[in-house]
C-alpha cells in the first residue's frame, strides 16, 4: 500500500481537544477503508503567513498514513466539507519517517535554547553582569589623557 504524509490546518477558534477529536475521526475513516495511521503529531497553534478564511493562526497536525488511495480521497472529501479545517495537504512518500518530524525537532530545540538563556536575574549568557560576552574590557580613562592635552594646546 502507498504511504502518505498528510498535514491539516484547523481553525484557531477550535480547542485542542476538538482537534484531537477531528484527528480521531479522520483516523477512523482511514482504518474503515483498510488503512493505518502510523504516527500522529500535533504541532500546536502557529501563525499563518497570510490570512486564510479570516484566520491568522491555525492548529497544525501531521498524520503518517499507509492506506489505499480511496481512503485518502475519502478523508480529503470529509475535510473539504468540514468548516473547522482551513487547509490540508497530502503527499505521497516512498517511506514514512519514524523519528519526530522537523517541526517537532525545531520546537524542542527552541525550548532548550530558552532554558539555556536563563531568563532571570544574574544568570544566563549575554547579560551585562554575566561575563559571557566576547568583548574585550573597556579602556580605562586616565586623568590627563592625550585627548584633553591636545585640546588645551
Amino acid at each position: 500500500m502507498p504511504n502518505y504524509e498528510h498535514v491539516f490546518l484547523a481553525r484557531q477558534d477550535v480547542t485542542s481537544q476538538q482537534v484531537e477529536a477531528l484527528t480521531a475521526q479522520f483516523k477512523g475513516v482511514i482504518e474503515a477503508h483498510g488503512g493505518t495511521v502510523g504516527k500522529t503529531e500535533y504541532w500546536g497553534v502557529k501563525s499563518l503567513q497570510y490570512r486564510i478564511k479570516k484566520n491568522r493562526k491555525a492548529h497544525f497536525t501531521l498524520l503518517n498514513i499507509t492506506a489505499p488511495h480511496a481512503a485518502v480521497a475519502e478523508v480529503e472529501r470529509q475535510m473539504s466539507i468540514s468548516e473547522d479545517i482551513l487547509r490540508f495537504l497530502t503527499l505521497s512518500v516512498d517511506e514514512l519517517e519514524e523519528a519526530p518530524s522537523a517541526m517537532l525537532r525545531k520546537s524542542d530545540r527552541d525550548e532548550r535554547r530558552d532554558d539555556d538563556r536563563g531568563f532571570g536575574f544574574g544568570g544566563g549568557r549575554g547579560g551585562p553582569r554575566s561575563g559571557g560576552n566576547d568583548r574585550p574590557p573597556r579602556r580605562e580613562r586616565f586623568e590627563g589623557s592625550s585627548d584633553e592635552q591636545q585640546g588645551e594646546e
Side-chain angles (χ1 to χ4, degrees), residues 80-119:
S80 64
I81 293 171
S82 175
E83 293 179 0
D84 292 333
I85 304 299
L86 298 174
R87 293 278 194 276
F88 57 87
L89 177 68
T90 306
L91 296 174
S92 177
V93 293
D94 293 331
E95 60 184 55
L96 298 173
E97 290 184 24
E98 295 300 321
S101 66
M103 292 295 286
L104 280 186
R105 288 191 304 255
K106 178 183 178 292
S107 65
D108 290 344
R109 185 177 66 232
D110 290 344
E111 288 172 6
R112 282 196 309 268
R113 185 178 301 149
D114 289 345
D115 291 343
D116 291 346
R117 286 191 180 143
F119 286 113

Side-chain angles (χ1 to χ4, degrees), residues 53-73:
K53 298 180 184 176
K54 299 181 182 178
N55 290 285
R56 293 189 181 274
K57 293 185 177 191
H59 295 268
F60 285 67
T61 305
L62 167 76
L63 301 172
N64 280 353
I65 302 170
T66 302
H69 176 70
V72 175

Side-chain angles (χ1 to χ4, degrees), residues 12 46-52 54-58:
Q12 65 187 2
K46 303 211 175 281
S47 297
L48 300 173
Q49 187 68 30
Y50 54 89
R51 284 179 157 191
I52 301 175
K54 299 181 182 178
N55 290 285
R56 293 189 181 274
K57 293 185 177 191

